[in-house]
Amino acid sequence: MKLGQPFSCVAGLAVAFGMLPAVVQADAPAPGTDKKSADSKKAAASEAEGYVNRKMAENWKNPEASLKRLGAALTERVKSPEPDNVQKFVEKPANRLLLAQWMMAWQAVHNTHSEAIENSKRAAAGKHTNRDLDMQVQESILEDLPKGAKEEREVQKKKVEDIKKELAYLEDHQNLPWKLEEFAAYKNGKKLLEALSTDLDWMYQVVFSGDCSNPGRVLAVMQGVAERHPDFYTNRKVRDIATATGLEFARDCWEYGKAMDRADYYIRKWKERKLNVVFDTLPFWQLRICCGSKCSDGFGNASAGLPASFEWVQDNVRIPIERFSGCCWRCGYKLWNPYGQSVHGADYRNPYNGLFDSNHHQFTYEVGGVCGGLSHFGAYAATAHGVPAFTMGEPGHCAFILRVNGEWTPAYSVFWQHGLHWTPWRGNYRFTTLHMMTELLEESDARDNDVSYTYLALGRIYGERNRKKEALKCYFHAISAQPLNLDAWFACSRYLKENYPTDKELWRQLHDDVCKLLATRYPEVAADFLQRHVYDNLAKTSISKDEIKQCIHLFWSSMYDEGPARWEVGVMADRQMRLLEKDAVQPQVTVTIGEGDKKEEKKVDKLDPDRACYLFASIYSAVSTKPVIPTRVLDWMNELNAMHKGVMTERIKQLTAYFSHIPSGPDGDAMQNKMLLAAESTFNLDAFQSMGRDMADAKDMLSGEMPPHRPLRGAVMSQGGLVFAGSYGEADTPAGHWGVLEGCGGNIATAAEADPWVGVMLPRDAFVSGVIIIGPEDKTADRRDMVIQVSENGKEGSWQTVGSPLGECPGSISTADFGSSESKCKFIRVLRKGGNTPLQINAIYVYGRPAA
Amino acid sequence: MNTPYIFQMMNRITISMLAAIALLAVQPLSAATIVKNYEEGSKAAGKNGYIVFAYGANWDPTGLQVCKKHMESAAVKEAAGDAAMWTVPFYQLPNDEQKIDQGIKWGSLPQPHVFSSESYPGLLLFDKNGINYATINGAVVQKGTPEEVATKVKSAIDGKLKRDEIMARADAAQGAEKAKLLLEAALIPGLNRPEKIVEAIKAADPQNSTGAASVLTYEPSAKAEAYSEKTLAETIADMEKLLEQPFWQPEQRQSMYAIMIGKLHKEGQYEDRAKIRELARKMRELNPDSLFGRSSVVVERTWGGQIDYETGWSPICLPPGGGLVQIVGRVPISNPGRYTVTFVKTGGADLRVLAVEVHRGNTKVGADEHSCVVQYPKKEEEADPKKRTPRRLGARSEGKDEANVYTVNIPKGKDITLHVRVENGGNSYGRIVIRKK
């Protein structure tokens, strides 16, 4: 390729992109919550008063018939699916109750999972066989005990009784209703069914708070609780706990007996006032998280929600809500148990069978575990106290997340990629679904939600009647009325797939709606939806490649920025690369990724550099003015380039410079500085490392040497990390930041102020044994009275001082040696107490050992 | 006639003084003092320092009540000696006002670290220098009586006094003697380990001739991990050599036995199972109540090459080429008489049983010697839980009904054991049910 050629390519692309309109202004409004109108506040108030209408009692013995009848009533009351009519419809509580009843009928017909139910019954039958044998063994032992051994006989009798109770529950699990029509015919079910289905607020909890699978079983659980707790109908909290437990246990076909234990636990503890006060005012869908804590058999990790575990936690891990994120670290991270058995086998736990009585928490505390065990310890310690929490997956790791002070707070998190182990609805486990659902279920305008669901119902009703035009209209209205309603998106795409699989205009409309309505603030959810439900179909239509390019550009230009959290931009870009060729099968090549012992070979599509650079230019031009996402896009492209041996390096540099409008000289430096500081403030380690090193290299700052120092215990854990400060002063040089954590040294300087600090985000969690701080020889007075602080998440309010203050600074090197008192952390900072001068540092070396 | 005021006052004063004297007579001479905060506590505390009752201030509705129940009880007051006691709040997401309140109450006492085993309500015991030397929390505080808490308090205070005395002697000593005294102080149960004591021991005994540093830095899982790659022979040899060293504490010795047991289980032959049983018994003798002691019972029964009655058989119980296996654990044959022994398969391969034998010591005194193949039950019976009894859940052997049921006579006397003779080992799982006829 000739010297001028790449640039002329770039210029050509620039011309092409000059023709595309900028969709999003640089100063787009920050994402915010919708304001409740006075009307909807009034509506919410009337709901809170409790609308009950016994005249609307329905015979649920034939849900299909109920669905038709209620559908007819609904369409009659709406009259026609015009926005004004639907708005009027949802204003009346009786209409909303009708909508909820229709929804329940729909769930009964379409959301009863026969195969999962059969699997669950089979598993229960197998368990019944084994427990039946246990009972006979224990009975034989009881019969053999001498009559005089009273105490022993009592203990043994209790064992037998407990097993009998379990067997009875397993039979209940088999025999109690699963389907709504079964519950309607159930001898004790009439009262509950009537009370529930005529109560607006209660119905909304059941059908609009998340998944409502197997509604017959939901009701069977509630009925079981009602029979055990006489105040079920009069005590709202008791009712809520029963409802939440029923919904969660039914959705995954969990054992009936365990549902009883779970509901009993929360009811009892709430009445005893033993739960954290946050439980008292939890929104209903968050109550479902607590009531839906995992509770598998035995004492594997997923048994952390069994009663024995919860009771132990109640006594031994009673802490303020913000401390649950660190509570797992009171347990040991132990890959091997004291018998030398690995955590990856059954023999890790086998030596302790029967000793912990299915108490996962006590076992983990006394014996140990690794990330799965510790994360389950932390998450379910929180839920045992009524604090919503659950585990989540990260690459090769299990972390957890809790609700603290209105924020979803990751804990024991090593990576930024998270896959949720629980969501309100099935079908999307992306991390920011959680944030979107929080907004939908707690902050959005209730009337918008009602309108959206009404349109969703109408879409389904008209669909059933084969009135396709009306159905389509309703589905698209459902989306636009409340873009956060994932159910509506899924339903719309399903309808298009079944009825208009190759209609380009409709798929294009759906695609564009995703971009304009969803990608703006929840780009990850939008990206996931497009990848799984739209792109495949779009590619099969007659859409041209030019139109595809427009679609791709529209997606990236629609988003305000990356959304509530970082997400896999690269995966989306890779998918779009295939879409550019209308998903034509590409030749495959084998590439090597990773380094050292993480090296592996992978089969990928053969790289077409022109297509890749086109896509990069398209995306980068759309996002270049946004604060954070350009660095993510750059990461993707650099990784792709590295995978293919750097064939696109020059073109990437030119494209980046062009679309970032980075001139050379001081203005260019200012731009790069701004990007680097953005990477630091968002803890974007990859971007910091790649940009930081390049900037240091450009300023010839890689060849420095720090004064020799005595190493501390362990290894240097900070290399490859990210450095950041509370403020930046005149003496600061962003190009010097990267070197602060490297052997060559660098420079970072705060503003002149009291309590300045410089922080380090470690590449991975570590047990820190000490810190070496190196600063300018002539500024030792500015480094007097430094302290070391650690944090799990780097946020204000989370820092804890460790070790002793460093006192006077004798020279360029200050040492904080914690000896055997290690501190576990992901973030560490050096804070100078008081003073009004800058804190300037040339190097920070954090010593320790990996924690995970 | 009205009593002059001054005489009224004098009467009142006299009565009050008499009352106070009476009260003093029943109070211990050095009773704990309840104060409001650290500032008051630092003036009031005697040699027993401070006892802080920490509770969840704005998140645990019952915590303060629990703390007061214990703190204001006579038992705890007495146990606390001349300590100063007060309740301290531990706020959840504190605002500025709450931080100030918490700060005033805690004073300069260090608050629990986020990674500590904190739990509220709880008692934190500090010496007069503000060192937290013991913590009492958990079920005993939540659900226990004041007397039970008082026992813990007394034990901690007594332990601290004893430790102080030993530390004073250690200060005066040097070398190995000092190291031993420091170790003794560090091993007093129920107290937090003194800071930097390992460093002090290493300084006193740099060659580790006393083993004191090794004792305090020994970690069972880390030790086991170090042997994960070593051979069985190396592991056994090293552990036996370590066990010869006199300074190891019982729990550490138990750990060494556990490492040998684990290795034998993973890499040994069936014949090594007898050695597992022997090591498990030795492990238990050191301390039957510790976690090691309690798990020794489990490993002896489940890894010891025998069939534990309560858990049934599994591949590791079965000799590879067949043979005689004892049924151990809580076997219900205490009384003489006729018994049925029924075999039920629950997983894996079928099991060929040749006989069930009764032994007295090493002598066979009875048997039912027919063979059967223990298989899964017939399909039509499996579905109905009510039909699922051991007799029905059995196999049909070659031509003989109910062959999975054996009948034996258990004679009078001691030392009677039951054994199963199997034809094969293999990947088989199942249960045995023994009933008196």
Side-chain angles (χ1 to χ4, degrees):
Chain A
M1 191 183 270
K2 289 184 188 161
L3 197 61
Q5 231 171 341
F7 192 77
S8 66
C9 253
V10 167
L13 288 167
V15 168
F17 284 102
M19 292 162 70
L20 286 167
V23 173
V24 177
Q25 295 95 25
D27 56 349
T33 59
D34 291 331
K35 293 187 176 51
K36 284 192 194 298
S37 65
D39 282 346
S40 67
K41 273 186 187 164
K42 195 174 155 192
S46 88
E47 259 167 26
E49 286 163 17
Y51 176 82
V52 176
N53 188 340
R54 292 277 185 257
K55 290 181 190 162
M56 289 178 71
E58 173 72 21
N59 179 339
W60 295 100
K61 288 185 178 162
N62 186 343
E64 287 203 23
S66 295
L67 189 63
K68 280 203 169 84
R69 198 191 70 68
L70 292 165
L74 213 150
T75 48
E76 193 192 314
R77 289 197 201 183
V78 173
K79 294 185 182 47
S80 69
E82 300 310 320
D84 283 346
N85 287 348
V86 173
Q87 282 287 351
K88 278 197 191 118
F89 170 81
V90 300
E91 274 160 22
K92 291 190 180 154
N95 290 342
R96 295 199 299 277
L97 180 56
L98 174 63
L99 172 66
Q101 288 181 336
W102 181 90
M103 197 56 87
M104 187 150 98
W106 192 89
Q107 302 286 5
V109 173
H110 295 281
N111 209 12
T112 298
H113 305 295
S114 302
E115 197 181 322
I117 291 169
E118 285 312 309
N119 287 341
S120 170
K121 282 162 101 168
R122 213 172 295 124
K127 190 174 168 187
H128 192 285
T129 305
N130 289 331
R131 292 303 270 151
D132 192 48
L133 286 165
D134 284 333
M135 188 183 72
Q136 293 180 68
V137 164
Q138 296 301 329
E139 272 179 344
S140 69
I141 294 171
L142 176 62
E143 283 159 14
D144 189 60
L145 285 173
K147 297 259 186 297
K150 277 194 180 147
E151 217 175 287
E152 229 183 308
R153 288 185 71 84
E154 284 309 311
V155 169
Q156 193 61 22
K157 259 189 206 163
K158 173 124 190 354
K159 242 187 199 174
V160 172
E161 288 309 317
D162 285 348
I163 299 176
K164 280 186 179 162
K165 183 177 150 191
E166 207 182 317
L167 287 170
Y169 272 148
L170 285 166
E171 286 164 25
D172 282 341
H173 183 76
Q174 303 271 60
N175 301 329
L176 285 174
W178 286 95
K179 299 181 181 180
L180 186 59
E181 55 269 35
E182 289 170 356
F183 189 83
Y186 184 56
K187 61 181 182 356
N188 295 337
K190 191 173 177 230
K191 179 182 176 186
L192 174 61
L193 202 40
E194 190 178 300
L196 163 65
S197 64
T198 55
D199 184 318
L200 175 62
D201 191 38
W202 202 353
M203 281 294 278
Y204 260 53
Q205 285 183 335
V206 170
V207 297
F208 293 132
S209 69
D211 200 353
C212 178
S213 294
N214 308 319
R217 180 46 55 102
V218 176
L219 282 149
V221 168
M222 288 161 67
Q223 179 61 33
V225 177
E227 285 168 11
R228 297 153 77 85
H229 295 272
D231 57 348
F232 172 87
Y233 288 100
T234 52
N235 187 320
R236 178 59 189 265
K237 201 68 175 180
V238 171
R239 191 190 91 180
D240 283 355
I241 290 168
T243 308
T245 305
L247 286 163
E248 287 302 303
F249 274 74
R251 78 188 281 197
D252 287 313
C253 302
W254 288 348
E255 280 178 33
Y256 175 80
K258 290 185 176 132
M260 293 301 104
D261 289 342
R262 176 63 52 76
D264 281 352
Y265 172 85
Y266 278 113
I267 291 169
R268 183 166 41 90
K269 291 298 176 188
W270 177 73
K271 287 182 175 177
E272 290 171 1
R273 303 193 306 148
K274 288 293 188 185
L275 298 174
N276 192 296
V277 296
V278 299
F279 186 81
D280 294 342
T281 51
L282 277 185
F284 182 76
W285 76 282
Q286 290 187 31
L287 183 61
R288 288 182 65 163
I289 297 175
C290 293
C291 293
S293 301
K294 292 183 206 174
C295 54
S296 290
D297 276 328
F299 64 111
N301 293 339
S303 69
L306 288 175
S309 248
F310 269 23
E311 290 289 350
W312 186 89
V313 163
Q314 271 280 325
D315 288 337
N316 295 287
V317 194
R318 289 180 78 73
I319 50 182
I321 194 172
E322 66 269 32
R323 289 202 163 200
F324 280 110
S325 58
C327 75
C328 59
W329 290 108
R330 62 184 64 198
C331 309
Y333 182 93
K334 290 173 186 168
L335 197 50
W336 303 86
N337 75 5
Y339 286 87
Q341 309 301 311
S342 162
V343 75
H344 300 301
D347 278 338
Y348 190 84
R349 295 172 187 276
N350 281 344
Y352 307 96
N353 270 339
L355 298 186
F356 289 96
D357 192 27
S358 299
N359 185 337
H360 164 83
H361 281 88
Q362 189 179 6
F363 171 82
T364 308
Y365 181 68
E366 294 195 21
V367 179
V370 292
C371 58
L374 269 57
S375 286
H376 281 76
F377 184 100
Y380 299 107
T383 60
H385 289 283
V387 176
F390 49 89
T391 54
M392 57 181 187
E394 296 184 353
H397 177 65
C398 181
F400 64 107
I401 187 163
L402 0 132
R403 186 80 174 158
V404 179
N405 202 23
E407 299 277 337
W408 288 107
T409 306
Y412 191 5
S413 173
V414 178
F415 300 100
W416 56 265
Q417 299 99 318
H418 315 300
L420 302 173
H421 289 173
W422 183 95
T423 49
W425 281 275
R426 296 171 196 280
N428 190 321
Y429 292 89
R430 298 290 165 200
F431 183 56
T432 53
T433 314
L434 195 57
H435 304 77
M436 190 168 112
M437 291 298 108
T438 305
E439 190 180 335
L440 175 71
L441 294 169
E442 287 182 39
E443 298 160 13
S444 62
D445 190 317
R447 285 301 153 259
D448 289 347
N449 296 358
D450 294 333
V451 167
S452 179
Y453 275 111
T454 304
Y455 271 121
L456 179 57
L458 289 170
R460 287 174 172 154
I461 293 167
Y462 288 128
E464 285 288 311
R465 296 178 190 172
N466 213 25
R467 286 162 66 172
K468 289 189 178 178
K469 258 194 183 160
E470 284 112 320
L472 261 180
K473 198 170 156 184
C474 288
Y475 279 125
F476 278 105
H477 273 306
I479 289 165
S480 58
Q482 179 47 280
L484 305 182
N485 185 358
L486 257 187
D487 252 356
W489 292 103
F490 290 143
C492 186
S493 86
R494 207 175 299 125
Y495 191 73
L496 289 191
K497 209 168 172 175
E498 286 165 6
N499 295 279
Y500 301 96
T502 54
D503 188 317
K504 182 185 87 169
E505 292 313 318
L506 286 175
W507 282 104
R508 190 71 204 265
Q509 184 184 347
L510 179 62
H511 171 275
D512 290 359
D513 278 355
V514 171
C515 294
K516 290 174 198 161
L517 301 174
L518 199 54
T520 47
R521 291 193 294 118
Y522 293 101
E524 182 187 30
V525 179
D528 186 72
F529 184 80
L530 288 174
Q531 287 175 66
R532 296 200 294 129
H533 299 285
V534 176
Y535 281 166
D536 287 353
N537 296 285
L538 198 59
K540 287 175 190 150
T541 67
S542 59
I543 192 167
S544 68
K545 288 186 183 178
D546 277 344
E547 286 172 306
I548 288 178
K549 289 173 184 175
Q550 289 176 359
C551 287
I552 290 173
H553 192 81
L554 178 63
F555 172 77
W556 294 101
S557 52
S558 296
M559 64 183 74
Y560 294 149
D561 201 1
E562 75 173 353
R566 188 172 174 183
W567 55 280
E568 300 211 60
V569 158
V571 170
M572 181 61 163
D574 286 342
R575 179 65 186 90
Q576 290 173 334
M577 191 116 79
R578 293 202 304 281
L579 189 65
L580 279 173
E581 288 301 304
K582 292 199 72 175
D583 289 355
V585 173
Q586 304 296 309
Q588 300 279 291
V589 292
T590 305
V591 297
T592 307
I593 55 170
E595 285 170 358
D597 56 358
K598 293 199 173 137
K599 223 182 205 178
E600 58 172 307
E601 288 199 335
K602 197 175 151 184
K603 260 196 158 49
V604 299
D605 288 350
K606 185 178 176 193
L607 178 72
D608 176 345
D610 286 340
R611 180 153 47 103
C613 287
Y614 171 85
L615 181 62
F616 173 66
S618 169
I619 298 174
Y620 206 81
S621 69
V623 304
S624 62
T625 56
K626 301 178 210 287
V628 174
I629 199 128
T631 58
R632 313 291 190 214
V633 174
L634 197 51
D635 287 345
W636 160 70
M637 193 59 177
N638 284 333
E639 259 180 53
L640 185 66
N641 187 38
M643 206 189 294
H644 293 94
K645 297 185 179 133
V647 299
M648 301 181 287
T649 305
E650 270 314 305
R651 292 169 77 175
I652 293 170
K653 270 189 180 155
Q654 288 170 3
L655 284 166
T656 317
Y658 182 83
F659 287 109
S660 300
H661 310 289
I662 296 178
S664 55
D667 289 344
D669 286 352
M671 201 74 189
Q672 288 193 314
N673 290 347
K674 192 175 160 192
M675 285 173 69
L676 185 77
L677 295 181
E680 288 176 12
S681 69
T682 56
F683 299 142
N684 184 343
L685 182 62
D686 294 338
F688 173 83
Q689 280 292 316
S690 64
M691 275 197 295
R693 194 183 192 288
D694 284 349
M695 285 165 69
D697 192 12
K699 297 287 181 194
D700 199 22
M701 293 175 86
L702 295 182
S703 52
E705 257 183 45
M706 287 291 100
H709 62 269
R710 183 180 64 83
L712 301 176
R713 199 159 59 92
V716 176
M717 302 306 302
S718 45
Q719 191 173 24
L722 177 152
V723 74
F724 59 107
S727 61
Y728 299 92
E730 285 172 5
D732 184 56
T733 45
H737 288 188
W738 179 86
V740 168
L741 302 178
E742 305 297 326
C744 58
N747 181 61
I748 187 167
T750 69
E753 59 187 7
D755 298 338
W757 57 264
V758 173
V760 176
M761 179 177 115
L762 302 174
R764 58 197 293 200
D765 282 62
F767 289 104
V768 173
S769 57
V771 184
I772 301 281
I773 304 132
I774 303 177
E777 187 87 50
D778 60 343
K779 293 210 180 347
T780 54
D782 294 342
R783 299 195 301 284
R784 186 169 47 201
D785 289 333
M786 293 189 293
V787 294
I788 307 297
Q789 297 184 324
V790 297
S791 162
E792 283 278 294
N793 56 27
K795 292 187 180 167
E796 269 315 302
S798 70
W799 294 98
Q800 302 251 340
T801 300
V802 293
S804 313
L806 297 183
E808 292 287 336
C809 180
S812 60
I813 300 176
S814 300
T815 303
D817 187 346
F818 307 143
S820 53
S821 303
E822 294 175 324
S823 290
K824 189 243 155 220
C825 67
K826 172 81 173 170
F827 292 81
I828 191 162
R829 75 179 182 183
V830 178
L831 181 142
R832 195 261 333 273
K833 284 187 169 294
N836 60 354
T837 53
L839 176 64
Q840 187 173 359
I841 287 177
N842 300 132
I844 300 179
Y845 303 126
V846 179
Y847 282 82
R849 58 186 174 94
Chain B
M1 182 168 128
N2 286 337
T3 313
Y5 177 72
I6 188 158
F7 290 120
Q8 285 178 25
M9 283 307 296
M10 280 177 69
N11 279 341
R12 283 199 193 122
I13 290 166
T14 307
I15 289 165
S16 302
M17 281 175 65
L18 285 170
I21 289 166
L23 267 174
L24 277 172
V26 300
Q27 293 293 332
L29 281 173
S30 54
T33 311
I34 294 180
V35 297
K36 291 206 186 91
N37 52 43
Y38 174 76
E39 194 186 340
E40 289 184 14
S42 59
K43 290 173 191 153
K47 67 178 184 337
N48 290 344
Y50 317 111
I51 302 179
V52 144
F53 289 72
Y55 65 96
N58 59 344
W59 53 272
D60 179 4
T62 61
L64 178 59
Q65 189 186 335
V66 169
C67 279
K68 282 185 167 173
K69 176 183 93 173
H70 295 305
M71 187 176 74
E72 292 170 0
S73 71
V76 169
K77 280 185 194 169
E78 188 183 333
D82 62 4
M85 306 196 290
W86 68 102
T87 56
V88 292
F90 207 85
Y91 287 97
Q92 170 166 288
L93 301 170
N95 58 30
D96 288 341
E97 203 179 301
Q98 289 165 342
K99 281 181 192 169
I100 291 169
D101 178 44
Q102 188 165 317
I104 290 170
K105 300 266 171 60
W106 282 88
S108 60
L109 296 176
Q111 296 179 33
H113 191 272
V114 69
F115 300 137
S116 69
S117 292
E118 52 172 340
S119 188
Y120 304 94
L123 285 70
L124 293 97
L125 287 76
F126 296 87
D127 66 18
K128 286 220 70 178
N129 297 322
I131 308 284
N132 170 219
Y133 66 88
T135 304
I136 302 169
N137 55 26
V140 70
V141 175
Q142 279 271 76
K143 294 170 179 152
T145 61
E147 289 70 28
E148 287 167 333
V149 170
T151 304
K152 294 263 180 190
V153 169
K154 183 155 190 342
S155 170
I157 289 178
D158 289 349
K160 174 71 166 65
L161 287 174
K162 185 175 175 192
R163 188 165 79 182
D164 287 346
E165 182 267 318
I166 297 172
M167 294 291 278
R169 283 193 282 134
D171 279 344
Q174 288 190 19
E177 183 58 29
K178 182 180 181 116
K180 283 183 187 165
L181 285 167
L182 289 172
L183 176 65
E184 191 186 340
L187 290 177
I188 291 174
L191 302 183
N192 299 336
R193 188 181 282 188
E195 227 176 277
K196 299 200 193 294
I197 195 146
V198 173
E199 288 81 356
I201 286 174
K202 284 180 178 172
D205 179 17
Q207 305 304 317
N208 198 23
S209 60
T210 59
S214 300
V215 167
L216 288 185
T217 54
Y218 186 98
E219 206 288 303
S221 292
K223 197 72 171 173
E225 184 176 352
Y227 280 84
S228 59
E229 298 296 311
K230 297 206 176 183
T231 64
L232 175 58
E234 276 175 318
T235 304
I236 303 289
D238 284 359
M239 291 301 119
E240 283 177 350
K241 203 166 166 194
L242 277 177
L243 282 163
E244 286 167 9
Q245 292 169 329
F247 49 77
W248 295 115
Q249 301 300 300
E251 193 192 319
Q252 289 153 356
R253 291 176 180 283
Q254 288 182 311
S255 154
M256 292 162 198
Y257 285 124
I259 291 170
M260 288 196 276
I261 288 170
K263 207 64 161 174
L264 284 165
H265 169 64
K266 214 155 104 172
E267 296 174 22
Q269 304 301 315
Y270 181 78
E271 296 69 39
D272 293 321
R273 303 272 159 198
K275 179 86 177 159
I276 288 178
R277 299 199 297 270
E278 181 200 328
L279 292 172
R281 281 193 285 271
K282 283 184 178 171
M283 199 162 101
R284 190 158 56 250
E285 277 159 20
L286 288 165
N287 183 353
D289 297 325
S290 68
L291 183 55
F292 276 121
R294 290 182 288 131
S295 78
S296 72
V297 175
V298 179
V299 299
E300 185 181 348
R301 287 195 192 152
T302 56
W303 290 355
Q306 298 169 317
I307 299 175
D308 176 36
Y309 178 59
E310 286 179 272
T311 53
W313 77 83
S314 64
I316 56 172
C317 305
L318 305 172
L324 198 64
V325 188
Q326 185 177 347
I327 305 174
V328 295
R330 301 172 75 195
V331 188
I333 52 169
S334 309
N335 303 302
R338 277 173 78 74
Y339 286 78
T340 55
V341 181
T342 308
F343 292 81
V344 182
K345 172 181 157 181
T346 56
D350 296 345
L351 181 72
R352 271 193 173 273
V353 176
L354 299 175
V356 171
E357 297 181 7
V358 182
H359 289 209
R360 188 197 305 276
N362 292 329
T363 311
K364 185 166 93 174
V365 296
D368 178 346
E369 285 166 332
H370 74 266
S371 68
C372 88
V373 177
V374 186
Q375 300 169 327
Y376 274 135
K378 287 191 299 186
K379 284 218 164 125
E380 59 269 25
E381 286 172 350
E382 194 182 351
D384 183 349
K386 292 186 187 110
K387 286 186 183 166
R388 225 173 282 132
T389 64
R391 283 182 65 85
R392 302 293 290 275
L393 280 172
R396 291 180 181 275
S397 80
E398 307 88 295
K400 197 171 173 185
D401 281 353
E402 313 300 355
N404 62 311
V405 183
Y406 288 73
T407 307
V408 291
N409 278 327
I410 300 294
K412 269 188 200 173
K414 291 182 185 173
D415 213 15
I416 303 293
T417 52
L418 267 185
H419 301 253
V420 181
R421 190 172 292 283
V422 298
E423 192 180 274
N424 59 300
N427 186 31
S428 179
Y429 299 82
R431 309 295 296 279
I432 301 171
V433 182
I434 299 171
R435 276 344 247 263
K436 191 160 190 288
K437 276 186 117 167

